[in-house]
Amino acid sequence: MYYICIACEVACYFELETQPDTLGRVTELLEQNEIVTQVYRVTGKNKLHVHAVAASGDEMEKLIREVIDPLPGIVRCDCNIILSRIKDIKGLRL
């Protein structure tokens, strides 16, 4: 059986590393974006773990091209598309 998804959401997460002096500005810019759903500061040198949910692949590409790519002081950026949710505890407080 095949399923065709015309308007599927695309969920992904980014692992970002910034220069020390730009971490605050990068965090502010990500907080202001509607497609970005979560921003976590994680261990390591100036690292953020960022979740985003876009209405389509085109919208996710636009986020990457217009928001993520031009972020100031990015040293490293890894992007991973989420294929399926296996376990998700709703209301878990980190």
Side-chain angles (χ1 to χ4, degrees):
M1 181 178 287
Y2 294 97
Y3 296 95
I4 298 174
C5 185
I6 306 267
C8 289
E9 289 183 336
V10 177
C12 73
Y13 67 91
F14 300 89
E15 300 290 342
L16 302 175
E17 182 179 342
T18 72
Q19 294 173 349
D21 59 333
T22 59
L23 181 64
R25 181 67 182 138
V26 168
T27 302
E28 290 172 6
L29 291 168
L30 294 171
E31 283 181 303
Q32 295 169 8
N33 190 282
E34 294 177 356
I35 297 171
V36 173
T37 58
Q38 287 122 348
V39 179
Y40 300 99
R41 175 113 188 239
V42 296
T43 58
K45 291 183 178 181
N46 310 299
K47 289 187 179 180
L48 298 172
H49 177 84
V50 179
H51 287 241
V53 180
S56 66
D58 289 342
E59 187 175 70
M60 185 62 73
E61 181 182 355
K62 183 177 178 181
L63 172 75
I64 292 168
R65 194 173 357 94
E66 296 180 7
V67 177
I68 302 295
D69 286 347
L71 287 170
I74 294 295
V75 175
R76 182 178 178 161
C77 175
D78 294 322
C79 177
N80 297 279
I81 292 177
I82 299 170
L83 299 176
S84 64
R85 179 174 289 136
I86 296 167
K87 182 176 181 179
D88 187 12
I89 301 173
K90 299 292 182 191
L92 180 64
R93 191 83 178 122
L94 297 179

